[in-house]
Amino acid sequence: MVLLGYSALLMNIGFLGTGHITYSIILGIFKSKLKIKKIYISPRNRLISKKLRKKFKKIAISKNNQQLIDKSNWVFLAVTPQVGHRILSGLKFKKSHNIISFISTINLEKLKKYTKTKNITRVIPLPFIGIRKGPVIIYPKNKKIKNFFDKLGKSIELNNEKISKNFWTTSSLMAPFYNFMMVTSNWLVQKGVNKKIAEDYTRELFLALSQDTIFKNKLSLKQLVSESQTPGGINAQALKELKKKKFYKIQQKVLNSIFKRF
């Protein structure tokens, strides 16, 4: 038996919103040692809902959002900000509910006003939570929520809600990162490399680079940058030319632009 510090063995949880994040978290749950009695999901995205119900016996598709809330001990808010602003105030939550919000631009004060409850935690999960990897930002600190997400990734608790905006901002780097990989792979293809080989190589290259930073976690990222190049070497040349083209300054400008949305 896995002890989570709370009574999770008979817990029902519900996901208000059935998009990619909900799908990924549910996959992660069933790959973990978390013990959940039932998972209720929204009927809105029928394709994902039916796929999950077919894949897992503990999944139940609710008739509507209120039924989902009524049957759940924990309610995960996984809708877009636009939908959240529109529907949350019309739903009835109990004071006993644990509400976990994944909504990026609706702050804690507004969530409490909409739900008329105080037991709310804001969490930033990312799609790779489905393979139980990656950081999970949590605000405010909550031992039960942390214990739950520790089984799905690396929980990082914050003391300041404003700081969470920085992490929402950096989550925007997923698509640029994949695009960087795609450009690398496409360059190899243009040079005559088989596409499958090029993509396999690129995936393995960036996977190894990422894992190496974890293995060498006693070194700062600045030290890793320094150790990865030799004077006059190809890594030194690539870094120098990218800096000259202001590649990294553009990256900072983009992050600042994204930050203004929160």
Side-chain angles (χ1 to χ4, degrees):
M1 181 185 296
V2 178
L3 297 177
L4 300 176
Y6 64 101
S7 181
L9 294 180
L10 298 175
M11 187 171 70
N12 294 324
I13 63 176
F15 287 85
L16 193 62
T18 317
H20 190 43
I21 285 296
T22 292
Y23 183 79
S24 297
I25 292 175
I26 290 174
L27 287 182
I29 287 172
F30 284 109
K31 290 176 183 176
S32 74
K33 294 182 179 180
L34 287 166
K35 303 297 182 182
I36 305 295
K37 181 180 180 182
K38 203 79 173 177
I39 299 178
Y40 295 94
I41 58 177
S42 299
R44 185 177 179 84
N45 190 321
R46 293 184 179 181
L47 183 64
I48 293 179
S49 297
K50 289 181 178 180
K51 186 176 181 180
L52 284 169
R53 186 176 61 179
K54 185 178 180 180
K55 191 175 182 68
F56 303 111
K57 293 181 180 180
K58 291 185 178 182
I59 296 288
I61 301 175
S62 300
K63 292 181 179 179
N64 53 58
N65 292 330
Q66 190 59 56
Q67 184 192 64
L68 180 153
I69 293 168
D70 292 341
K71 290 190 174 184
S72 302
N73 304 110
W74 285 20
V75 180
F76 295 82
L77 307 181
V79 295
T80 65
Q82 294 83 358
V83 173
H85 284 300
R86 189 174 75 245
I87 71 169
L88 288 179
S89 60
L91 298 169
K92 295 181 180 180
F93 295 87
K94 298 176 183 177
K95 291 183 179 179
S96 60
H97 274 131
N98 275 291
I99 300 174
I100 301 93
S101 175
F102 304 148
I103 306 174
S104 60
T105 56
I106 302 183
N107 63 29
L108 200 60
E109 182 181 356
K110 182 69 73 173
L111 288 168
K112 289 179 179 179
K113 182 178 179 181
Y114 281 155
T115 62
K116 297 181 177 62
T117 61
K118 295 182 179 180
N119 197 17
I120 302 175
T121 307
R122 296 187 69 196
V123 173
I124 308 176
L126 296 170
F128 25 82
I129 198 170
I131 58 172
R132 300 172 59 225
K133 295 287 185 180
V136 183
I137 301 298
I138 298 172
Y139 173 83
K141 290 184 177 181
N142 184 306
K143 187 176 181 180
K144 292 180 181 179
I145 306 300
K146 183 180 186 301
N147 286 340
F148 180 89
F149 282 103
D150 274 343
K151 305 297 183 294
L152 301 176
K154 173 67 176 177
S155 296
I156 301 172
E157 294 184 302
L158 302 179
N159 292 317
N160 188 321
E161 186 174 18
K162 290 183 179 179
I163 296 296
S164 68
K165 296 179 182 180
N166 301 304
F167 294 99
W168 283 112
T169 299
T170 55
S171 70
S172 68
L173 293 176
M174 288 190 296
F177 174 77
Y178 293 136
N179 196 73
F180 192 88
M181 292 179 65
M182 184 181 70
V183 170
T184 303
S185 178
N186 288 346
W187 183 87
L188 288 170
V189 172
Q190 290 169 7
K191 294 298 181 181
V193 178
N194 173 274
K195 184 178 180 180
K196 180 66 166 56
I197 293 174
E199 290 201 351
D200 286 348
Y201 170 82
T202 303
R203 291 173 194 268
E204 289 294 332
L205 171 64
F206 285 93
L207 172 63
L209 285 170
S210 296
Q211 290 180 330
D212 195 44
T213 66
I214 301 298
F215 178 72
K216 297 176 180 175
N217 61 357
K218 292 184 179 180
L219 296 179
S220 69
L221 293 178
K222 184 177 181 179
Q223 287 175 302
L224 288 176
V225 172
S226 178
E227 288 194 359
S228 65
Q229 52 185 311
T230 54
I234 58 175
N235 276 276
Q237 179 183 344
L239 181 62
K240 182 179 180 181
E241 291 190 20
L242 285 171
K243 284 184 173 180
K244 188 175 181 179
K245 296 291 184 180
K246 299 183 178 180
F247 180 88
Y248 301 107
K249 286 187 177 181
I250 292 172
Q251 179 186 350
Q252 288 183 321
K253 287 181 179 179
V254 170
L255 287 171
N256 286 331
S257 178
I258 298 294
F259 181 78
K260 292 177 182 178
R261 296 182 59 175
F262 298 98

